[in-house]
Amino acid sequence: MIQKKIEIYPDVSAIGDRLAEFLYKSTEQRISFVLSGGDTPRKIFNHLGKNHASLPWHNIDFFWGDERCVPPDHPESNYLMAKMHLFDTILPGSSNIHRIHGEDKPETEIPRYRKEIFEFVQLENQKPVFDVMMLGVGEDGHTASIFPDQLHLLYSENICELAIHPQTGRKRITLTGPVIKMAKNILFIATGKNKSDIISRIILNKEGSENLPACLISPENGQLFWLLDREASSDL
Ligand code: 6PG
């Protein structure tokens, strides 16, 4: 049984400090760090930018677990969110940023992003192994852009695939289950009372959780962390 390391913090700032501690320990050498979109990650990025500018950010290659198929200046862009709330403060080199080109056609961007991953990320048995994989979790149990109605994305041997948001219909490009599971450190981050139900269903393996994408992500060889605030963990 994979050990989930569940850590509960008073608030999102404390989670940000925990993530920074993780990155400090990891960045003695160059690492690959996969960012997530969403409100919780946005708050985390804000905190990191304001309180951890001294982190060796130059030693980090930034990737995304998913991106909406929109231009990089579009309000829905996960890259734009990271730029506004983190990169504009820590000013990483442009060569450290490996964004998904949401502005391009998925059929050309998916192979391009795959190629960039293989070029910059450590490979083990010809498979990319990201060092730190940051993931949010939706109230429906989705993670990255792997939604409950698209579970095939959990098992695809393609590094990344096209996903469709079930409510908005927005096309997205997402990393798939196998490459997420290969990461050395998988960090789910969730905050707020609105996540308490889904968190308890996933962590306590409640009935029906077996079909929730976030419940089906367990590391092949790495570690799995759940970094939660008090509200999100209030039903545990
Ligand atoms: C996205 C994210 C998505 C997000 C969760 C949680 O692009 O929206 O990749 O998986 O992390 O929906 O988002 P919140 O923190 O906003 O609830």
Side-chain angles (χ1 to χ4, degrees), residues 36-41 66-68 78 135-138 142-145 172 189 194-195:
S36 171
D39 287 339
T40 300
D66 63 333
E67 181 58 278
R68 292 79 180 278
N78 285 342
L135 293 170
V137 58
H142 81 260
T143 190
S145 284
R172 298 176 168 206
I189 296 177
N194 64 312
K195 295 293 173 71

Side-chain angles (χ1 to χ4, degrees), residues 169-185:
R170 170 70 73 196
K171 285 184 179 177
R172 298 176 168 206
I173 291 173
T174 187
L175 291 183
T176 55
V179 68
I180 291 172
K181 292 177 184 178
M182 282 296 289
K184 290 180 182 171
N185 298 280

